[in-house]
Amino acid sequence: MSVEQQVSQYYDTVLKRNPGESEFHQAVAEVLDSLKIILEKDPHYAKDALIERLCEPERQLIFRVPWTDDNGNVQVNRGFRVQFNSALGPYKGGLRFHPSVNVGIIKFLGFEQIFKNSLTGLPIGGGKGGSDFDPKGKSDLEIMRFCQSFMVELHRHIGEYRDVPAGDIGVGGREIGYMFGMYKRLANQHESGVLTGKGLTWGGSLVRTEATGYGLAYFTSEMLAAHGESFEGKKVIVSGSGNVAIYAIQKVQELGGTVIAFSDSSGWVECPNGVDVAKLQDIKEVRRERVSAYVDEVEGATLHTDGSIWDLPCDVALPCATQNELNGEHATKLADNGCKFVAEGANMPSTADAIEVYRARGIHFGPGKAANAGGVATSALEMQQNACRDSWSFEYTDQRLHEIMSNIFKVCAATAKEYGHEGDYVIGANIAGFKKVADAMLAQGVV
Ligand code: GLU
């Protein structure tokens, strides 16, 4: 059987086993496409149903999360944790609270996480979890009651050496605090290493909050440098305005770029003179308001509720909002407007069509599993600090993050070149991420 046929069989099995999970199918299709190249060269990676095992989570948990709202009504949500692959270390990955969450979304995120975590070079496996709970408009006490109920079930399945959740969309420091408190009570021990993204006074790490955004900027700087460019004087679009976007904007501007637009689900803001990061932080992190407040308070900023943020001419595009936010049409518009670099702060924000356009139009593209790995990498640094009951300085932690991101870029570039696709960082990230996990799985036998 040819490699092409073999890989299409793997994919058919995934489709049959996971009906209706389109995001999971999309994530698997992209990785399998890259794996054809390595399977041609190194057929031993097809041994022992390795690829079939890689596409099947080790464990998938779905549970009921009942909680009481402020009016005394009982609400029911669904909770998930997909423990995808533990070849390299305990399962590691965030929790997402968003109404769009379903098992397919969690599986796509968990699958991506395996390769991302492998690329960090740190000993962490891949997992993801969350709930279809919508934090928007909920009171602080409602958030706390939901987090506590979620943890009442989740606590049985996690632990410092087993599975270490963190944040993702809808889960930040506040939610991690409520979940950690309930875990501590149930387990009757202060097990710092069970969650990451903790507060600084109870086992958290400096730089963890900034890490995904800073890491994205460091990765993109390396990608720019590899093509003789830098952020200096560049016009940059950053979609989103959550934790990833805010710190990407901050670092890009520190590195000499001008961020000319950002967004949230209510619209996008055009700001030709750059972003006032302190103001954006106050609106999103402290007041938890929409981006329209920014336009009311900062001169020269305009709110758009129609059209697309990707219509705006720019040099660099950093999608940091959510999956599939940038499609083929958007990518064509970016290319027509002269954009030369795209790097993903969100997980899978570019559709398969968009990636085709990047390739066809010569846009240098850093895929999320490489470009946004700074968050989980710094989570692994938090685990290291917890394990030795230490806390590192901001400078030291940031330097470690910077080194990790530079190294990820180098590994992706070198692997793409080694496998005959120089400059294709999708292929580089998928193959480099895969190899480490695959070698560990082969060494550990059929489990
Ligand atoms: N949710 C983040 C990601 O997508 C971070 C996960 C973590 O720190 O475990 O990688």
Side-chain angles (χ1 to χ4, degrees):
M1 203 193 304
S2 69
V3 164
E4 190 74 41
Q5 287 167 323
Q6 207 176 1
V7 167
S8 103
Q9 258 188 23
Y10 299 145
Y11 188 58
D12 286 346
T13 307
V14 169
L15 291 183
K16 233 179 268 153
R17 271 211 181 114
N18 307 281
E21 298 178 4
S22 58
E23 291 85 0
F24 180 48
H25 304 160
Q26 181 185 341
V28 171
E30 187 213 279
V31 170
L32 288 182
D33 191 52
S34 300
L35 294 190
K36 283 181 203 159
I37 300 160
I38 185 169
L39 288 172
E40 289 284 1
K41 253 190 152 181
D42 303 320
H44 79 284
Y45 283 124
K47 251 180 42 181
D48 299 340
L50 180 92
I51 314 280
E52 290 97 318
R53 283 189 288 140
L54 191 64
C55 294
E56 182 64 17
E58 289 176 18
R59 192 173 296 105
Q60 304 182 55
L61 305 155
I62 303 184
F63 50 93
R64 183 174 69 197
V65 189
W67 56 282
T68 308
D69 68 21
D70 287 345
N71 299 321
N73 296 318
V74 174
Q75 304 286 342
V76 178
N77 283 100
R78 185 172 272 191
F80 303 90
R81 187 73 183 166
V82 172
Q83 299 178 329
F84 223 121
N85 192 297
S86 60
L88 298 183
Y91 309 107
K92 181 83 196 86
L95 298 169
R96 177 178 291 192
F97 292 169
H98 191 270
S100 65
V101 164
N102 56 45
V103 70
I105 297 269
I106 298 299
K107 260 148 82 175
F108 116 64
L109 291 163
F111 186 71
E112 292 268 305
Q113 202 83 43
I114 303 169
F115 306 97
K116 182 195 308 198
N117 293 4
S118 164
L119 284 169
T120 66
L122 298 162
I124 39 179
K128 202 86 185 191
S131 173
D132 57 2
F133 172 74
D134 186 359
K136 217 181 278 167
K138 302 289 188 296
S139 72
D140 211 51
L141 280 174
E142 288 176 324
I143 299 275
M144 182 177 78
R145 285 193 294 270
F146 176 81
C147 289
Q148 290 179 334
S149 179
F150 186 83
M151 187 50 84
V152 166
E153 176 57 38
L154 189 69
H155 91 282
R156 302 177 224 281
H157 312 289
I158 62 176
E160 181 184 0
Y161 298 108
R162 184 177 293 161
D163 184 355
V164 183
D168 195 82
I169 294 172
V171 178
R174 172 179 60 167
E175 291 75 17
I176 292 293
Y178 293 147
M179 286 191 274
F180 185 79
M182 196 50 153
Y183 181 87
K184 181 168 66 68
R185 185 176 185 194
L186 291 165
N188 191 26
Q189 55 186 7
H190 196 291
E191 185 187 333
S192 312
V194 70
L195 291 174
T196 60
K198 298 181 293 294
L200 295 176
T201 54
W202 41 281
S205 172
L206 286 162
V207 192
R208 178 63 191 88
T209 308
E210 296 84 353
T212 313
Y214 279 17
L216 172 67
Y218 296 148
F219 180 95
T220 311
S221 283
E222 293 286 345
M223 186 164 78
L224 285 156
H227 299 277
E229 303 268 10
S230 78
F231 270 120
E232 202 61 54
K234 294 277 184 305
K235 284 189 176 144
V236 183
I237 297 179
V238 178
S239 63
S241 50
N243 169 266
V244 179
I246 287 175
Y247 294 98
I249 294 171
Q250 188 181 69
K251 189 52 79 177
V252 164
Q253 297 199 148
E254 254 176 60
L255 295 172
T258 305
V259 176
I260 56 163
F262 60 89
S263 62
D264 69 10
S265 53
S266 71
W268 55 283
V269 172
E270 189 179 348
C271 43
N273 303 322
V275 178
D276 178 342
V277 177
K279 176 61 80 184
L280 185 61
Q281 276 177 305
D282 180 50
I283 291 170
K284 297 306 279 191
E285 292 178 343
V286 182
R287 288 150 52 188
R288 298 180 191 273
E289 288 176 16
R290 319 314 322 272
V291 292
S292 52
Y294 184 92
V295 176
D296 296 339
E297 295 167 36
V298 177
E299 223 176 294
T302 327
L303 180 70
H304 297 265
T305 50
D306 52 7
S308 161
I309 193 170
W310 310 117
D311 288 343
L312 213 57
C314 68
D315 305 302
V316 182
L318 304 177
C320 295
T322 195
Q323 67 271 358
N324 292 330
E325 58 165 305
L326 202 169
N327 63 27
E329 256 174 63
H330 299 138
T332 303
K333 188 80 186 172
L334 284 172
D336 289 347
N337 285 337
C339 173
K340 281 269 168 292
F341 297 89
V342 177
E344 297 181 325
N347 290 310
M348 209 170 72
S350 305
T351 64
D353 287 357
I355 297 174
E356 275 313 301
V357 173
Y358 303 150
R359 285 193 171 116
R361 302 288 300 269
I363 290 181
H364 307 293
F365 172 55
K369 58 170 84 69
N372 75 31
V376 76
T378 309
S379 276
L381 300 182
E382 182 173 331
M383 290 161 73
Q384 285 186 25
Q385 293 168 75
N386 294 155
C388 54
R389 301 181 189 282
D390 197 1
S391 45
W392 304 342
S393 71
F394 191 96
E395 291 68 27
Y396 176 69
T397 316
D398 188 37
Q399 181 199 327
R400 291 283 305 264
L401 167 66
H402 203 145
E403 284 164 9
I404 291 166
M405 296 314 294
S406 300
N407 196 48
I408 292 176
F409 178 77
K410 285 190 190 106
V411 168
C412 291
T415 308
K417 190 167 177 199
E418 183 188 340
Y419 285 85
H421 291 265
E422 189 167 0
D424 191 324
Y425 308 122
V426 173
I427 289 174
N430 287 337
I431 293 183
F434 165 79
K435 266 173 109 172
K436 259 184 79 184
V437 179
D439 289 340
M441 285 175 74
L442 287 175
Q444 291 167 15
V446 177
V447 289

